[in-house]
Amino acid sequence: MPIPNLEKPIIKGLIEKEKVVVDGVEVDGTWNAFMIERTQTGYDPSVWDEIAGTLEGATISACWQCGTCTSGCTMREYDPNYSPRRFIDLARKGDKESLIELQNSIWRCVSCQKCTHRCPKGVLVEEVVHSIHNYLLKHGLVQTDPGTVFDELFLDVVMKNGGRISELTLGGASAKAGFVTLSLRDLISMSGALLKSGLIKDVMKPSRVKDWDKVKTVLEDAMKEEIKPEDLQANIRYQVVPQ
């Protein structure tokens, strides 16, 4: 299997040969790199099974480790340890220990979807990585990360403000959580700009979704459900109208 150049430095036991002949054909480039054969033990195969059994992680089995997702990942410029290919590899092996070592990186996906669009095997990479992250959180293997804390704050604000975001409430909650500073000087500065733009009314009293109480009940019930891939397939079959 060819090893992407950007991942060679983090692979242990990599062998690179100057000349390799396979079935009479001389190969070069990335095809010259090989991993030392070894036996791996102590891994948990149930990790793969559980992730593949979720709606987000259902395509994990299609990954063939080409590394196209990682080579185009926009997050790697900021965090060299962020590697969708590696996260998927470790999850399929059930290597919990290595995944835990990467807990400060695995939550950093910005959902740009570049990895998913480039995948030649149709793996929903962004969703699979989220599923791996959710697995670690669900089993208490990693601490709650800043991204998850902010997601929960955002959802809480939307649910309490009639289905709309409230910049004022979210700003206050974010400041309380330590994500931003919100000094008196900041408030005065923002208030001036909001008054000039005429948006101050929307900030002080954000609009609500029509019939929000009914919508909220449906959303709360939906968030309690854990949808499985087979449930979605069954629903799709149910909706097909016979010819």
Side-chain angles (χ1 to χ4, degrees):
M1 177 184 298
I3 309 296
N5 286 329
L6 57 89
E7 294 198 352
K8 287 179 181 177
I10 64 174
I11 297 175
K12 298 177 181 178
L14 190 67
I15 299 175
E16 291 187 75
K17 296 179 179 292
E18 293 184 0
K19 182 178 180 181
V20 177
V21 178
V22 178
D23 293 335
V25 178
E26 183 175 343
V27 297
D28 56 13
T30 57
W31 295 94
N32 277 4
F34 299 88
M35 293 176 65
I36 296 176
E37 184 178 354
R38 63 187 186 277
T39 301
Q40 299 176 330
T41 59
Y43 297 142
D44 183 356
S46 69
V47 178
W48 181 353
D49 293 337
E50 185 168 334
I51 292 171
T54 65
L55 193 61
E56 284 186 315
T59 58
I60 189 173
S61 302
C63 175
W64 62 2
Q65 290 288 294
C66 68
T68 303
C69 54
T70 300
S71 65
C73 177
T74 54
M75 180 48 63
R76 284 187 63 84
E77 180 179 352
Y78 305 97
D79 183 353
N81 288 324
Y82 192 89
S83 170
R85 187 211 65 80
R86 182 159 174 75
F87 299 150
I88 291 173
D89 179 47
L90 294 174
R92 299 205 319 185
K93 292 174 180 172
D95 189 347
K96 296 179 183 177
E97 185 176 334
S98 296
L99 284 171
I100 292 171
E101 290 176 357
L102 293 168
Q103 65 175 295
N104 291 327
S105 297
I106 197 168
W107 63 273
R108 295 182 181 274
C109 174
V110 294
S111 299
C112 70
Q113 297 284 1
K114 192 174 179 182
C115 54
T116 297
H117 283 293
R118 296 185 63 179
C119 177
K121 293 289 287 180
V123 178
L124 302 179
V125 182
E126 182 259 351
E127 293 188 14
V128 171
V129 172
H130 280 303
S131 182
I132 296 171
H133 181 214
N134 288 337
Y135 172 89
L136 297 173
L137 287 171
K138 176 183 176 181
H139 291 276
L141 299 175
V142 297
Q143 295 181 346
T144 305
D145 54 273
T148 300
V149 173
F150 184 78
D151 286 347
E152 291 173 351
L153 282 179
F154 190 93
L155 178 62
D156 186 57
V157 170
V158 170
M159 296 298 285
K160 289 180 177 176
N161 287 278
R164 305 283 190 190
I165 189 64
S166 165
E167 289 83 356
L168 192 62
T169 307
L170 182 60
S174 298
K176 188 177 181 180
F179 289 127
V180 296
T181 58
L182 204 59
S183 65
L184 180 60
R185 185 177 181 180
D186 294 330
L187 290 172
I188 294 174
S189 176
M190 286 189 293
S191 298
L194 290 170
L195 284 169
K196 288 182 180 178
S197 65
L199 296 174
I200 189 69
K201 293 181 179 177
D202 295 327
V203 173
M204 297 304 295
K205 190 177 181 181
S207 59
R208 295 171 61 91
V209 171
K210 185 179 180 182
D211 295 328
W212 170 242
D213 290 338
K214 295 179 181 178
V215 176
K216 182 181 178 182
T217 301
V218 174
L219 287 176
E220 288 176 336
D221 290 341
M223 286 189 286
K224 294 175 184 176
E225 294 183 11
E226 185 175 358
I227 301 174
K228 300 288 185 181
E230 55 269 26
D231 297 334
L232 184 63
Q233 291 299 320
N235 190 41
I236 292 173
R237 286 196 295 272
Y238 178 75
Q239 292 178 353
V240 172
V241 178
Q243 298 295 321

